[in-house]
Amino acid sequence: MQSRTPASRTGRPRSAAADAAILAATRDALVELGWSRLTLGDVATRAGVAKTTLYRRWAGKHELVVDAVAELFDELELPDRGSLAADIEGVVLQFAAILARPEARSGLMAVVAESTRDDALRERIRASIVDRQMRLVLEGRARAQSRGELPAEPDPAEAARTGELIFDMVAGAVVHRTLVSGKPADEEWVRGFTRVLLQGLASPPTGSDQAAASRPTGSRAEWTGVRNPGDGTPPPGVRTPGDGA
């Protein structure tokens, strides 16, 4: 099954106000009706526009819901909290809060499920949500590099691969935690996730180390590319290649 080709947009320019009203009405309908009962007719009525106006903008229900959910993720901001770990914690908590909203939860799960048999819809999700939010990874990495927390990556291709990997790890973990497992991504979970993201499994905290690892300025393992600021050495207790047993 493939998505319908978007209708030709000729004639009068699109109204930004009408677009905003339609997307807001779509989110309201997702909350009140859920995915299965949502119809374009209901959305048009809620938005106060003709159904033909809606069809001139979106090819169908799937595309409309993707854009309505994507607008929620555009609210994400990368806070400057003084360290890479603290910045990650801040944006992950925001991300989890958005996923906890019923319109985001039902809408995202539905279109992702539909995209498994609709290549065009999958590409729309990538363009509207994934590619637009990649900015957070790029901004965060650049900020950490300027602080000396991450090494520079002169190879653009390798830098792009690293950025995609970071995005996949963060988005995949938070989506699984909140939407698949149905468990809260609270501050305790986010701190633990951030520690594992930056340290890997090379140096799991035990005893007094646990409190230090949970702090925003905690140590990072060298193999992740995160060094102790200023000295270029891995944190104590983290093994590097060649250390032996």
Side-chain angles (χ1 to χ4, degrees):
M1 173 181 173
Q2 297 293 323
S3 296
R4 295 166 50 187
T5 302
S8 175
R9 292 168 182 161
T10 59
R12 291 182 301 173
R14 287 177 59 156
S15 164
D19 286 358
I22 291 168
L23 293 176
T26 302
R27 291 189 292 270
D28 289 344
L30 283 168
V31 173
E32 294 181 25
L33 304 175
W35 163 263
S36 61
R37 294 171 56 200
L38 183 148
T39 66
L40 296 183
D42 180 74
V43 169
T45 300
R46 289 169 183 263
V49 302
K51 192 173 179 179
T52 53
T53 299
L54 194 152
Y55 270 115
R56 282 198 299 269
R57 288 158 163 75
W58 287 275
K61 174 177 172 178
H62 299 162
E63 294 83 359
L64 175 61
V65 170
V66 169
D67 287 359
V69 172
E71 205 170 56
L72 294 177
F73 292 120
D74 286 340
E75 298 174 6
L76 286 169
E77 295 181 353
L78 184 69
D80 189 346
R81 301 172 69 180
S83 73
L84 176 59
D87 291 353
I88 291 173
E89 289 176 11
V91 75
V92 169
L93 285 169
Q94 290 179 57
F95 182 34
I98 290 175
L99 290 176
R101 295 169 62 168
E103 62 271 39
R105 184 170 60 245
S106 62
L108 185 61
M109 291 288 276
V111 294
V112 168
E114 291 292 332
S115 73
T116 60
R117 50 199 181 99
D118 187 335
D119 292 340
L121 180 60
R122 183 183 297 112
E123 288 305 311
R124 190 181 187 99
I125 293 171
R126 175 179 294 278
S128 299
I129 298 177
V130 177
D131 291 348
R132 271 161 46 180
Q133 300 314 316
M134 184 64 71
R135 64 186 170 82
L136 298 168
V137 172
L138 301 179
E139 181 184 346
R141 183 170 57 183
R143 184 186 294 167
Q145 288 171 340
S146 70
R147 290 177 181 143
E149 295 176 292
L150 288 175
E153 295 177 272
D155 182 350
E158 185 62 30
R161 284 192 291 269
T162 302
E164 287 187 3
L165 178 60
I166 294 170
F167 185 94
D168 289 346
M169 292 173 69
V170 173
V174 181
V175 168
H176 185 275
R177 174 76 176 182
T178 58
L179 301 187
V180 179
S181 296
K183 297 179 180 179
D186 53 20
E187 291 188 5
E188 181 180 3
W189 182 87
V190 171
R191 282 196 300 269
F193 166 73
T194 302
R195 174 186 60 78
V196 172
L197 178 68
L198 295 181
Q199 292 184 327
L201 300 178
S203 181
T206 57
S208 61
D209 290 340
Q210 183 140 12
S214 68
R215 290 197 296 268
T217 55
S219 60
R220 305 127 64 192
E222 184 174 13
W223 67 266
T224 65
V226 185
R227 301 171 183 268
N228 285 336
D231 63 9
T233 61
V238 178
R239 296 175 182 173
T240 57
D243 286 346

